[in-house]
Amino acid sequence: MAQSTSEPISRRLQFAVYMCGICSNGTSSLVWVITPLWVVELGASPFMIGISLGSYTVLPLLLSIHGGALMDKLGARRVIMFFGTIVVIMPWFYPISPWIPAVIVLQMILGLSVSMGWIGTQTLIGQRMRGDPTYSGRLAFWTRSVGLAGPPLIGLAWDNVGPWGAFAFMSFWASGALVGVFLLPKLAAEETAAAARTTRVRDLMPKPGDYMVAFRLLAIPTILLVVVMSVLRQSAQGIQSSFYVVYLENINFSATEIGILTSSFLAFSAMGALTAAKLVRLFSPAWLLVVAVTVSVIMITITPLLGAFFLLMVAISVRGGVLGIVQPLMLTMVLKAADAKVQGKAVALRASANRLAMTFIPVIMGAVIEVVGLDAAFFVIGGILMVLMAIVSLIISRSPSYRDG
């Protein structure tokens, strides 16, 4: 179970954690806007666009569990600091490397670094804030509510200054995570352990045993459900973060308008996040998770049926609202089900599921587009996800493990 303590959660600690979340996970929102625009400008085919966007999650897929193990061994602070520095540096390499192979490599490094910062932030919720849904909800709220400013700003930078200005803005945004790390209060026990511990090269290498411990957590029904739902949720997110932007550009939306739609998604996500703690007390967490993810899949699947800016705004806002509930709900379910000593691995296991979907969905959708076209690809991928959601719902309804929550 999550670590329990009677000590109050200080405002400084809350601010530092939320700052790390805003500027780590928030960077992905910027990537969703700028990278599709960049690869389209480079003249990539739909399949290569899918490869370029899917590469963002390749290394997180392979190394998230190892990152969680590093959180447990070395502390989240040190890991966030290291990878946060890389995130600040990497955006500058995009405009000086205008080739698709270079974009793929940069996406892989940036994706891993952003992911490690976000995993570290979520681990802090378990280690420092008892895995309380109130604080996980606030993390999601602040990450989205402040983060909603990022997409339109980077869209404005792209429209008015070009790629250099947009990527410079991304670097500036990411630097806020380092500020959060500096403000993070140290625990006395953490300071003592950090001083006594010397980081060796072999400590940084992946260990099979860490992966075995993480995968054994799937024997816990709650964690298994969260991992499966993470794959389905992020599969739909993979559509939004890749060909959704390409579709909008194809119907002549500007980068600024695309940024506004993304911000609407984040704004309603922020509001949804604040309702998570209350809804968990009113409804079964398992069924709340299923309903919210199902609605989110429907809202992205119907995109080609909408066309008008207002209708697209409504759909993406509804999608944001239900996903705002999902993130803190999943995090709380995982942290409360996992022992305190393996919370980093538990969070990373969920992150690995996320990255599995985010890696392959853009590539698969790119291939589908080559065959059936952009509009039809939304319905093909979305239809498959809805069938899988129906199967999960049937299993939950027949399993005693989820009957009481």
Side-chain angles (χ1 to χ4, degrees), residues 57-211:
T57 54
V58 168
L59 290 183
L61 169 62
L62 300 175
L63 297 175
S64 286
I65 290 174
H66 174 55
L70 289 178
M71 309 289 172
D72 294 331
K73 294 175 184 176
L74 305 178
R77 174 201 292 269
R78 297 170 72 181
V79 178
I80 295 172
M81 173 67 76
F82 176 78
F83 285 103
T85 302
I86 296 176
V87 176
V88 172
I89 296 171
M90 292 310 298
W92 297 98
F93 286 90
Y94 281 77
I96 64 174
S97 309
W99 312 287
I100 294 299
V103 172
I104 292 171
V105 173
L106 293 172
Q107 285 281 99
M108 292 172 68
I109 298 172
L110 182 64
L112 175 65
S113 302
V114 170
S115 178
M116 290 300 183
W118 181 232
I119 291 171
T121 302
Q122 294 176 90
T123 301
L124 288 172
I125 292 290
Q127 293 176 345
R128 302 286 190 96
M129 298 177 172
R130 306 183 291 271
D132 192 317
T134 298
Y135 298 112
S136 58
R138 288 178 184 174
L139 171 63
F141 170 77
W142 287 113
T143 297
R144 286 169 163 79
S145 60
V146 177
L148 65 87
L153 287 175
I154 203 168
L156 282 169
W158 179 277
D159 287 337
N160 294 284
V161 189
W164 275 103
F167 285 111
F169 177 80
M170 183 190 295
S171 176
F172 172 75
W173 182 281
S175 66
L178 300 181
V179 175
V181 171
F182 280 118
L183 293 175
L184 190 65
K186 288 186 178 180
L187 299 175
E190 180 185 353
E191 291 174 334
T192 302
R197 186 188 302 118
T198 301
T199 304
R200 297 162 295 183
V201 173
R202 68 180 184 180
D203 292 328
L204 302 177
M205 301 301 292
K207 296 177 176 60
D210 292 331
Y211 285 79

Side-chain angles (χ1 to χ4, degrees), residues 347-365:
V347 171
L349 183 64
R350 185 179 77 89
S352 294
N354 291 345
R355 304 317 176 202
L356 176 67
M358 291 291 284
T359 298
F360 291 105
I361 284 296
V363 179
I364 293 171
M365 192 165 178

